[in-house]
Amino acid sequence: MKRVSLALILAAFATQAAHAQSQDKPKDRGTLQSIKDRGSLSCGVSQGLPGFSAPDDKGNWAGLDVDVCRALSAAIFNDPNKVKFVPLSAKDRFTALQSGEIDVLSRNSTWTLSRDTSLGLNYTGISYYDGQGFMIRKSLKVNSALELNSASICVQTGTTNEQNVSDYFKGNNMKYELIAFGTADETVKAYESGRCDVFTSDVSQLYAERLKLAAPNDHAVLPEVISKEPLGPVVRHGDDQWFDIVRWTLFAMINAEEYAITQKNVDEMAKSSKPELKRIFGTDGNLGEQLGLTKDWVTRIIKATGNYGESFDRNVGAGSKLGIARGLNKLWNQGGLQYAPPIR
C-alpha cells in the first residue's frame, strides 16, 4: 500500500511539474503572429462593390470595408498597404475564412444568429447598418414595394436576400418569381437586360450597383427597407486575441470620430493632456500592448484611414459618387446607431 501511495504522490508531482512547464511555454502563434511572419494581412473582400470594396483600373482597392483592413495593417505593421485583398463571391466568402485562406472577412456580410453559431465564425462589430430594398426601372411607374405583386425578382445566391424576399412577399400576400444568380455582376446584368422586373439587395449595394448601369438615372430605389442587415468584419472562432484586435480597430475609428480626431490633426491631438485622449494615444497606460499591438496603435490607424466618419464620407457618403446619407450610421450622439465602447 505504501508503494502504491508513493507512486500516486510521485505521479501527482509529475503532473504538476508538467502543467507548470506548459504554463511557461509560449502560446500557439495565433493569427496575429502568422500575419507578422507572413509580412502581410490576407483580407477577404467583394468581387467589386463600389464604395465598399472595389479595385480601380490600376488594381488599387478602396472602400469602407477595405479601410478596415488597411487600418488593421497600419495597427500591426505601421503600414496600411501590407494587405493582400482576396475577392470572394457571396457563396465562397465564409469557406475562405473557415479554411484559413484569409485572416479576416471585410465584405458587406450580414450578422445573423445562424452565421454566428453554425459557421465557426465571429462577427467583431457593425461597420455599416443596412437593410434590404428593391431597385426598379422608373418606366414601370412603381412607387412602392407593395405594388410588386407577381413581379420577377433578380437576387444573388448565398445571401440573406432570398429568405427576406420570401418573408416579405408572403407576409403581404403577394406572388413573385425569384431568379437567382451566382455573382453580383451576373445579377445586375440580368436585371439590366430585362430578365426580371426588380433587383433586390442591401440598399447600399443597390446604390453601388446602379452606378454600373448604362443609364443609372433610369432606375430608382424604392423607399421600403424590408430587413435589418448589420454588416461587419468576421473572424474565425478560437483566437480571442485576433478577435479583439479586429473589433477594437473598428472601435478605434468610431471613437476617433467621437473625439474629433482626424487624419489631419491626429499628431496634434496626441499631445493632449486630457485623460481619455492620453489613454487613446497610449501616452498613459498600456492598452495597445494588451491587444498585442504598440502604444501608438490608434495613431497608426487614424493616420492610415482617418476616423469612421472620414472613411464613410470618402467612400459611400457625401464625398463619394454614391452620396448615401449617414442615416443610422451617424454616431449615437448625433441620432444614429454607431456606438463604440470606451478605450480605457
Side-chain angles (χ1 to χ4, degrees), residues 28-39 239 241:
D28 292 339
R29 291 186 308 159
T31 306
L32 176 61
Q33 191 58 52
S34 295
I35 292 168
K36 288 181 176 180
D37 292 345
R38 191 191 312 132
D239 189 336
Q241 181 191 40

Side-chain angles (χ1 to χ4, degrees), residues 64-87:
L64 192 68
D65 291 335
V66 166
D67 277 355
V68 172
C69 293
R70 293 202 186 280
L72 283 166
S73 177
I76 297 166
F77 297 111
N78 200 21
D79 184 345
N81 298 313
K82 289 191 175 183
V83 186
K84 176 187 177 184
F85 293 103
V86 181

Side-chain angles (χ1 to χ4, degrees), residues 115-126:
R115 288 176 175 177
D116 220 13
T117 56
S118 65
L119 298 179
L121 306 175
N122 277 329
Y123 279 78
T124 60
I126 299 173

Side-chain angles (χ1 to χ4, degrees), residues 256-306:
E257 182 182 10
E258 184 173 343
Y259 285 105
I261 304 166
T262 68
Q263 272 185 311
K264 289 184 178 180
N265 71 15
V266 61
D267 285 328
E268 190 63 31
M269 294 286 277
K271 300 174 186 177
S272 173
S273 60
K274 293 182 178 179
E276 62 270 28
L277 292 181
K278 291 180 70 174
R279 287 191 292 268
I280 287 173
F281 289 114
T283 55
D284 181 21
N286 63 340
L287 298 177
E289 288 94 330
Q290 289 178 22
L291 286 169
L293 302 173
T294 58
K295 285 179 178 281
D296 65 342
W297 65 289
V298 175
T299 301
R300 292 180 174 192
I301 288 169
I302 304 308
K303 280 188 174 181
T305 64

Side-chain angles (χ1 to χ4, degrees), residues 2-230:
K2 289 182 179 179
R3 288 181 179 178
V4 173
S5 298
L6 181 60
L8 290 173
I9 292 170
L10 290 173
F13 275 119
T15 301
Q16 288 179 349
H19 178 69
Q21 284 183 340
S22 69
Q23 291 292 93
D24 292 336
K25 289 181 180 179
K27 294 181 180 179
D28 292 339
R29 291 186 308 159
T31 306
L32 176 61
Q33 191 58 52
S34 295
I35 292 168
K36 288 181 176 180
D37 292 345
R38 191 191 312 132
S40 65
L41 169 74
S42 182
C43 175
V45 290
S46 76
Q47 292 171 308
L49 182 63
F52 289 86
S53 51
D56 62 18
D57 54 4
K58 295 181 180 179
N60 298 312
W61 285 84
L64 192 68
D65 291 335
V66 166
D67 277 355
V68 172
C69 293
R70 293 202 186 280
L72 283 166
S73 177
I76 297 166
F77 297 111
N78 200 21
D79 184 345
N81 298 313
K82 289 191 175 183
V83 186
K84 176 187 177 184
F85 293 103
V86 181
L88 298 165
S89 69
K91 178 182 177 183
D92 298 330
R93 56 186 160 171
F94 297 120
T95 304
L97 183 57
Q98 291 165 333
S99 69
E101 180 185 353
I102 58 175
D103 303 308
V104 59
L105 179 68
S106 186
R107 184 207 177 281
N108 59 299
S109 299
T110 301
W111 189 351
T112 68
L113 185 149
S114 59
R115 288 176 175 177
D116 220 13
T117 56
S118 65
L119 298 179
L121 306 175
N122 277 329
Y123 279 78
T124 60
I126 299 173
S127 56
Y128 190 94
Y129 289 90
D130 210 345
Q132 186 172 336
F134 301 96
M135 182 161 65
I136 195 164
R137 294 170 188 79
K138 291 180 180 179
S139 60
L140 293 180
K141 297 182 179 179
V142 170
N143 298 309
S144 168
L146 295 173
E147 300 172 25
L148 294 177
N149 189 34
S150 299
S152 55
I153 302 173
C154 282
V155 66
Q156 184 182 0
T157 57
T159 67
T160 55
N161 300 145
E162 293 171 277
Q163 182 177 344
N164 291 337
V165 167
S166 175
D167 291 348
Y168 182 76
F169 276 76
K170 288 179 180 177
N172 288 286
N173 297 313
M174 297 191 298
K175 296 179 180 180
Y176 69 99
E177 177 189 5
L178 202 66
I179 307 174
F181 299 89
T183 68
D185 281 344
E186 289 173 341
T187 311
V188 174
K189 288 177 182 177
Y191 165 71
E192 188 169 28
S193 68
R195 289 193 59 186
C196 52
D197 304 313
V198 184
F199 172 37
T200 188
S201 186
D202 295 350
V203 172
S204 63
Q205 185 167 356
L206 295 179
Y207 280 102
E209 299 291 6
R210 186 170 65 171
L211 294 177
K212 299 179 182 179
L213 302 178
N217 292 333
D218 291 346
H219 304 264
V221 177
L222 296 178
E224 286 83 2
V225 177
I226 68 169
S227 70
K228 293 186 293 185
E229 306 295 330

